[in-house]
Amino acid sequence: MEPRNERDRYAALAFCWADLIMQIDSRDRIVFAAGPFEAFIDRRQDDLRGEEVATLMVPEDRVLMGQCLKLVRRKGRASGEVVRLHRPRGVPLSMDFAGYTLDQQSFIALRLTSHRGYDARDGTPRDPQSGLLPPQAFSELASGKIKQRQETGQDFGVTVIDLPGLGGLCDRLPSPGALGLLRSVGASLRACAFDDDSATEIAQGRYGLVHDGAADLEALRHDLSEIVRQHDPDGGEGRVETSAIDLEGVDQIDEGDLAKGLIYAINQCQRADGAAISLRMLSTSIPQLVHQGINEVALFRRVVANRSFDIVLQPIVSLSTGDIHHYEALCRFDPERPDLSPYRAITFAEETGLIHDFDLAMAEKVLGWLSGKPRNSDAYRVAVNISGFSIGVDSYVKGLLDLLRAEPWTKGKMLFEITESSKMTDLDSANSFIGSLRDSGYQVCLDDFGAGAASFQYLSALEVDVVKIDGSAIRNAMRGPKGMAFLSALTELCRRLGVTTIAEMIDTEESLDFVRSCGCDFVQGYLFGRPSADLKSFQPLPNLGLLRGSPDRLRGRAGLS
């Protein structure tokens, strides 16, 4: 039978994709519905006419549905959201959302989802709560969109939006309410941006977006304020602050430098204390931010090229013997340059794609230090950090393996710690690199374990010798009996896998007793010495008496060779 009208033709097409379809009027009420509503939500489709579509959703997603419909009407179509249908009996149903405007009529289609998270058009994972891009991906994609519109003479803008009370509100809300709030905020921002790839979360409650010059930012402010107010059980005001970034002179900047400028702007915003300071700072013109970003890149490149940094060492101590097994090498920059603190410099290097050069320079620096020590002594063994980002850079992999092949005496004297600060995406390639190091006689440690959701995925996929448990994970585990059970289970799992465990940031006797009772093998932290360039700082080892107690108190095994 042929479809009788445009609505029916749409319905026929939508059923190719959707489980449920609806036509919605200008007041967000259902005009027409088709699909197995009775099976899904125990409602007959004919009974839905005239009902506000948001009432079909769980309470936490009703504002989100309203934002999705606004997006459909503003842009003609929208997709990518997940909304949850309320069911009188049973758990809510998660549904993929798609919406269209056709001949001034709005239609939505819903399908049972197999959704695992948002993805940008280039496959970049989005934030699973807000659906927004991570800052670096946003900077790269947004710079291309800015240049396209600048070259075609289209008006556009870049705006930073701050919701000062959002973090505290999310903490006060139960998980479903906080999730609904963040989804609604993300949908509103994407509705105002160029497209789904033109908005980012800079920091908690702070966002950036690229938008058409004609975008109604006042309407966006109102929407965001209403979303916060509706979710706040205490009836907060929903304060929203905005600041436009000055784009004067952007036509003189190439796309690559523009991306660096946006990354630099976002980093400055993340580091600044207080929303007002951040927003005032970001009113600085893009050319100035680009200039500052380029200067930082050039400075860091000079530091790496000239090896203008030092190494300090911190001991890793056996819980079973009290002996120092090896040291971790850490970097220190010019003390007169607080802007070159180790954390900030390495984070900047990862964000700007320079970390692989630094990682190779660090390996060379450690090798140089070891070359001045007796080669027939086991007292000088050093672990070198490798960013997860560097593993994917061919020049780094080749450079490191060539360096080690040229200095075979470093076997057993150098270890490598792969940090999770920059996520690894190609685990097969990462495992191949790890295998190359191990086959060459070098042990490999998975650092930052427990700091991110991917830790267990890494442990199952990567053939490592050692796991270093992140200090924040240990502090969280110390808060209750479940934490002790979890950490004990982790050390037992590692034992069965033949993997040694190191507990880091052990700064107190309480944390030492905790990780020892959980079965960790080695410890590292201020309790046994702060990082130092002088190994005499650890002779004798501070607080050694805490380790040399009765045999029944000392657990662990010598898993490191």
Side-chain angles (χ1 to χ4, degrees):
M1 181 175 68
E2 289 295 319
R4 291 172 296 177
N5 52 40
E6 191 67 35
R7 183 189 68 192
D8 293 340
R9 281 195 292 274
Y10 176 82
L13 290 172
F15 262 117
C16 296
W17 177 87
D19 294 307
L20 308 173
I21 63 169
M22 289 171 276
Q23 180 184 349
I24 310 299
D25 67 15
S26 60
R27 296 182 302 163
D28 294 349
R29 298 185 183 276
I30 299 169
V31 176
F32 165 81
F37 284 91
E38 194 165 357
F40 278 28
I41 59 173
D42 201 20
R43 298 283 302 276
R44 295 176 64 249
Q45 61 190 44
D46 292 340
D47 295 339
L48 297 175
R49 294 192 184 107
E51 185 165 344
E52 189 175 347
V53 67
T55 62
L56 303 186
M57 307 298 134
V58 297
E60 296 85 7
D61 285 4
R62 289 172 184 171
V63 175
L64 173 61
M65 174 56 77
Q67 296 303 316
C68 289
L69 288 172
K70 285 185 179 180
L71 181 57
V72 169
R73 293 185 180 113
R74 288 177 187 171
K75 301 199 172 182
R77 61 191 303 157
S79 61
E81 286 294 344
V82 174
V83 294
R84 292 168 295 165
L85 284 172
H86 171 70
R87 301 171 76 197
R89 293 180 293 275
V91 298
L93 290 176
S94 294
M95 311 291 291
D96 284 315
F97 171 92
Y100 301 84
T101 295
L102 189 65
D103 294 339
Q104 299 182 337
Q105 299 179 78
S106 297
F107 300 86
I108 61 175
L110 303 175
R111 178 177 64 177
L112 278 172
T113 184
S114 57
H115 198 72
R116 293 292 181 268
Y118 299 92
D119 287 303
R121 292 170 186 172
D122 66 347
T124 301
R126 296 176 178 275
D127 180 83
Q129 295 178 318
S130 67
L132 301 177
L133 286 177
Q136 184 156 352
F138 164 79
S139 300
E140 294 168 356
L141 291 170
S143 62
K145 298 175 194 302
I146 289 172
K147 295 304 290 183
Q148 289 172 8
R149 281 156 179 78
Q150 181 266 321
E151 290 166 0
T152 56
Q154 299 179 58
D155 194 15
F156 59 91
V158 180
T159 298
V160 176
I161 297 156
D162 198 81
L163 307 178
L166 189 70
L169 176 56
C170 286
D171 291 340
R172 298 198 310 273
L173 290 172
S175 295
L179 178 60
L181 169 60
L182 293 174
R183 283 176 167 174
S184 297
V185 168
S188 292
L189 292 168
R190 296 201 307 279
C192 187
F194 276 148
D195 52 38
D196 284 356
D197 296 344
S198 300
T200 187
E201 182 179 26
I202 297 171
Q204 188 174 47
R206 186 165 301 149
Y207 304 91
L209 69 157
V210 182
H211 53 82
D212 290 321
D216 191 343
L217 295 177
E218 189 55 42
L220 174 63
R221 285 170 59 103
H222 177 268
D223 286 351
L224 292 173
S225 180
E226 281 297 297
I227 289 168
V228 173
R229 187 183 60 78
Q230 290 176 26
H231 281 82
D232 191 344
D234 300 329
E237 61 177 328
R239 189 159 57 97
V240 180
E241 300 175 359
T242 62
S243 177
I245 296 181
D246 184 359
L247 295 171
E248 182 180 356
V250 73
D251 56 322
Q252 305 299 318
I253 304 169
D254 68 39
E255 187 175 322
D257 284 345
L258 181 58
K260 290 185 177 69
L262 288 174
I263 291 172
Y264 183 80
I266 288 171
N267 291 346
Q268 291 289 85
C269 190
Q270 288 173 329
R271 286 192 289 267
D273 294 325
I277 296 174
S278 300
L279 296 179
R280 282 201 306 271
M281 178 176 52
L282 286 174
S283 64
T284 306
S285 69
I286 281 285
Q288 184 174 342
L289 290 168
V290 170
H291 180 71
Q292 291 170 345
I294 289 172
N295 283 347
E296 284 214 9
V297 169
L299 170 62
F300 191 81
R301 282 179 170 154
R302 285 197 299 273
V303 167
V304 172
N306 298 330
R307 305 300 189 259
S308 303
F309 59 91
D310 298 314
I311 62 170
V312 293
L313 304 169
Q314 190 174 30
I316 283 75
V317 183
S318 169
L319 277 171
S320 62
T321 66
D323 295 332
I324 296 174
H325 181 272
H326 67 278
Y327 301 89
E328 180 184 3
L330 304 166
C331 65
R332 292 294 183 267
F333 296 96
D334 186 347
E336 302 300 320
R337 292 291 309 272
D339 57 326
L340 280 178
S341 70
Y343 174 80
R344 184 177 181 277
I346 291 171
T347 301
F348 178 78
E350 288 186 328
E351 290 165 344
T352 53
L354 301 174
I355 189 64
H356 61 282
D357 290 331
F358 175 75
D359 280 350
L360 191 58
M362 190 70 176
E364 292 176 354
K365 197 88 168 181
V366 169
L367 191 150
W369 184 87
L370 284 170
S371 66
K373 306 300 178 184
R375 297 188 183 182
N376 61 348
S377 171
D378 289 335
Y380 307 101
R381 292 184 287 195
V382 182
V384 182
N385 286 307
I386 301 174
S387 167
F389 177 88
S390 298
I391 291 174
V393 179
D394 291 341
S395 60
Y396 169 78
V397 172
K398 182 179 184 303
L400 179 64
L401 294 178
D402 286 348
L403 179 70
L404 297 178
R405 276 193 288 267
E407 307 288 349
W409 59 269
T410 57
K411 293 177 183 179
K413 296 186 178 299
M414 290 180 73
L415 304 82
F416 294 93
E417 293 188 12
I418 299 176
T419 69
E420 196 187 334
S421 54
S422 180
K423 300 293 186 282
M424 293 174 281
T425 54
D426 187 345
L427 294 184
D428 288 338
S429 295
N431 208 32
S432 176
F433 168 73
I434 290 170
S436 298
L437 288 176
R438 297 180 76 212
D439 291 344
S440 299
Y442 300 90
Q443 291 191 313
V444 178
C445 172
L446 182 60
D447 198 3
D448 302 324
F449 192 89
S455 293
F456 281 97
Q457 180 187 8
Y458 294 160
L459 181 59
S460 65
L462 304 177
E463 298 291 335
V464 297
D465 303 286
V466 186
V467 160
K468 180 179 282 188
I469 304 169
D470 187 74
S472 63
I474 293 170
R475 287 194 297 272
N476 289 335
M478 291 176 67
R479 292 175 181 170
K482 287 185 178 179
M484 175 174 286
F486 174 82
L487 191 58
S488 298
L490 171 61
T491 61
E492 175 61 18
L493 171 63
C494 288
R495 186 188 67 79
R496 294 186 178 213
L497 293 174
V499 174
T500 301
T501 52
I502 300 173
E504 71 169 356
M505 296 188 188
I506 303 305
D507 303 333
T508 65
E509 186 173 350
E510 179 187 14
S511 60
L512 173 65
D513 288 341
F514 179 79
V515 298
R516 178 159 46 194
S517 67
C518 291
C520 292
D521 302 315
F522 293 82
V523 290
Q524 175 184 3
Y526 288 171
L527 194 62
F528 303 107
R530 292 176 177 268
S532 172
D534 184 4
L535 295 191
K536 292 180 180 178
S537 303
F538 314 117
Q539 299 171 2
L541 188 71
N543 294 308
L544 182 60
L546 296 176
L547 293 173
R548 292 183 173 166
S550 58
D552 61 317
R553 291 188 64 210
L554 298 178
R555 299 183 59 188
R557 61 197 183 281
L560 282 167
S561 59

